[in-house]
Amino acid sequence: MSKLHIKTRATFSWGGDPRSNQLGFMEGDVIDILKVVNDSVYFGESQRTKLKGFFPSDYVDNEPIMDELNKTNNSSTPS
């Protein structure tokens, strides 16, 4: 699980479930990605609601996350 702090935008609304620590958000919300759990699940904080939780990666713009992960992986590789 990678620890991050990347801003991305929700491309779809997601209801989530606070009882299971899932973050709900609306399309267009800005979300701070704090951790990449795996390819399909992220942990983040909604800038609008300030709530934190897990959510499916398919509901946000993944390009900024992949760019940051690639930078992190490339910078930690010995040359």
Side-chain angles (χ1 to χ4, degrees):
M1 181 168 25
S2 302
K3 290 186 180 184
L4 306 170
H5 190 74
I6 305 166
K7 291 185 185 351
T8 192
R9 191 167 298 276
T11 53
F12 302 98
S13 295
W14 166 254
D17 182 358
R19 294 171 295 178
S20 358
N21 203 20
Q22 294 178 2
L23 176 64
F25 47 80
M26 297 172 61
E27 181 179 346
D29 280 357
V30 175
I31 300 170
D32 288 320
I33 305 298
L34 304 175
K35 295 178 187 171
V36 172
V37 178
N38 58 43
D39 289 344
S40 60
V41 177
Y42 296 153
F43 182 82
E45 178 179 8
S46 167
Q47 286 193 343
R48 181 176 56 85
T49 64
K50 303 301 182 204
L51 296 173
K52 294 180 183 178
F54 296 94
F55 59 93
S57 62
D58 291 346
Y59 284 70
V60 297
D61 178 9
N62 284 294
E63 190 172 332
I65 299 152
M66 293 302 112
D67 288 347
E68 187 62 30
L69 287 175
N70 286 334
K71 284 182 206 172
T72 304
N73 289 339
N74 289 337
S75 67
S76 64
T77 327
S79 27

